[in-house]
Amino acid sequence: RAYPSRKMDAQQLERYANLAPCFFAVMGVVFMAKCKVAWHPILNKTGWKKDGVFACSADAVFLRWSSLASHMFFIIGAVIFGNGILAISNVLGLPLVLGFWCMSSSIIQSIMYMAVFKQSPMGTPDIDGPPVPARVVIAAVWIITTANYIVNRATLYRDVDETRLFGLMAVGVFLPAAIGAKHRTKHWRLHYMKDLPSRDEAKTY
């Protein structure tokens, strides 16, 4: 009599296990949205202050490095978000390879933006994308998975719910692009610095 209960518990656990990775999408959005301040706690560590690192809106070098840090957090967020898109595709019952198609579509739009406009999706200038091997791998995954769907749409994927598929893909592409566009409404040199160490706080040992 106890066996059905254990089976039900196992099924519930599996459902939760399928749902849990979807929160990567939420975490990715937060990383992208907060990319300009997410690294601030690092700079506030005692060791950084002792080494004389402080925020200065008039220091061109600091502004460059802080903008680069913001870019890196944005890209980390985009990758985490892509993993969330993959997890959501699983919950929606899409074939795994189509989940990877949605995921790679989400990431490659940022790669393409950097390649075309020579700046980070969130506005940092003089950034044309990740190292070449990474671009090649991401582009290859996207091209192969796109070709796979085009060729097999009428056969292997004739029963796939295209509303779910392209709806998820639209979210995966639109959200990072929209967050990046929002960041670009402000000049890349403008940073919130009130929570960062000032010159008086930082002491060189």
Side-chain angles (χ1 to χ4, degrees):
R1 293 180 180 177
Y3 176 73
S5 177
R6 289 200 300 270
K7 185 177 180 180
M8 184 60 69
D9 290 342
Q11 290 174 341
Q12 288 177 342
L13 178 60
E14 184 183 37
R15 280 198 293 271
Y16 294 145
N18 282 325
L19 288 171
C22 296
F23 286 94
F24 279 128
V26 177
M27 185 166 65
V29 168
V30 172
F31 263 67
M32 290 186 287
K34 298 294 185 180
C35 67
K36 291 187 176 182
V37 296
W39 50 271
H40 285 196
I42 299 173
L43 205 61
N44 275 302
K45 297 295 183 183
T46 302
W48 290 72
K49 294 179 183 179
K50 286 183 177 180
D51 286 337
V53 179
F54 61 91
C56 179
S57 60
D59 187 341
V61 174
F62 173 80
L63 293 176
R64 279 280 179 177
W65 279 109
S66 59
S67 188
L68 179 60
S70 299
H71 161 73
M72 296 303 295
F73 269 83
F74 185 93
I75 296 302
I76 291 171
V79 173
I80 295 173
F81 178 74
N83 280 275
I85 291 295
L86 178 60
I88 293 171
S89 74
N90 178 50
V91 172
L92 294 178
L94 298 174
L96 180 61
V97 67
L98 298 186
F100 277 108
W101 185 33
C102 293
M103 175 188 182
S104 61
S105 297
S106 177
I107 296 173
I108 202 169
Q109 66 88 17
S110 295
I111 304 296
M112 292 176 66
Y113 179 89
M114 290 185 280
V116 172
F117 295 101
K118 309 302 180 186
Q119 66 173 357
S120 166
M122 47 70 61
T124 302
D126 304 316
I127 293 178
D128 58 3
V132 173
R135 300 186 211 185
V136 171
V137 170
I138 295 170
V141 170
W142 183 78
I143 291 171
I144 293 171
T145 53
T146 301
N148 168 68
Y149 183 75
I150 292 172
V151 171
N152 295 312
R153 179 184 181 187
T155 53
L156 295 179
Y157 307 125
R158 63 180 180 274
D159 296 325
V160 168
D161 186 335
E162 292 193 335
T163 300
R164 292 185 176 187
L165 173 62
F166 290 109
L168 179 62
M169 186 174 292
V171 170
V173 171
F174 174 76
L175 262 182
I179 295 172
K182 174 65 175 178
H183 284 305
R184 295 195 303 274
T185 59
K186 294 184 179 180
H187 194 277
W188 66 271
R189 290 183 182 273
L190 298 177
H191 286 273
Y192 179 80
M193 297 185 183
K194 291 183 179 180
D195 63 335
L196 291 175
S198 65
R199 186 189 300 267
D200 293 335
E201 292 180 79
K203 297 180 180 178
T204 303
Y205 281 58

